[in-house]
Amino acid sequence: MDTADDPGPRQCLCCGVWMRPEGATPARFPGMAPPWGDMQCQRCDYLGAGKDPGNRFIHVETLAQLNGLRIAFERDRQVRRIPSAGHLPAGRVSINELVAGMELGEAS
């Protein structure tokens, strides 16, 4: 469904790879990368943020392992009557906050 407002394909400002318009399907624009943000492809956006473009997000298995650790820690804390927030030195984050942030996609 083309409209006059359809910007059409654009090039990544960094590497020049062609990106399909926002919301367009790969079938409609074969061989083109999806738009990612700030007129950049995903790879350039990740590199610009100092992230490894091939491994930015945590694997689901790792998140499940961390969640299992959190449950075990909480059980141990309850047995020892330690508050769930624990006693963390300055600058440290509890495993509850770490896992909750990952589940919400806030991890970096």
Side-chain angles (χ1 to χ4, degrees):
M1 142 173 25
D2 291 322
T3 66
D5 297 353
D6 187 3
R10 297 196 177 172
Q11 284 185 290
C12 172
L13 294 177
C14 296
C15 70
V17 71
W18 282 98
M19 300 180 298
R20 60 183 176 262
E22 185 72 36
T25 63
R28 186 169 162 221
F29 293 92
M32 291 188 183
W36 197 255
D38 296 329
M39 291 299 299
Q40 294 178 329
C41 66
Q42 178 182 3
R43 182 178 187 283
C44 291
D45 183 53
Y46 284 7
L47 288 173
K51 306 291 183 182
D52 176 9
N55 191 19
R56 180 173 184 177
F57 301 106
I58 191 166
H59 294 283
V60 173
E61 295 84 14
T62 305
L63 186 59
Q65 290 171 345
L66 288 174
N67 196 34
L69 284 174
R70 179 184 60 81
I71 291 168
F73 286 152
E74 286 302 315
R75 274 194 220 123
D76 187 51
R77 285 180 175 179
Q78 288 174 355
V79 168
R80 295 186 295 146
R81 297 181 184 199
I82 297 173
S84 63
H87 307 287
L88 298 172
R92 301 294 298 263
V93 176
S94 74
I95 194 164
N96 286 342
E97 290 179 55
L98 178 70
V99 172
M102 289 177 184
E103 289 172 346
L104 296 174
E106 296 171 358
S108 57

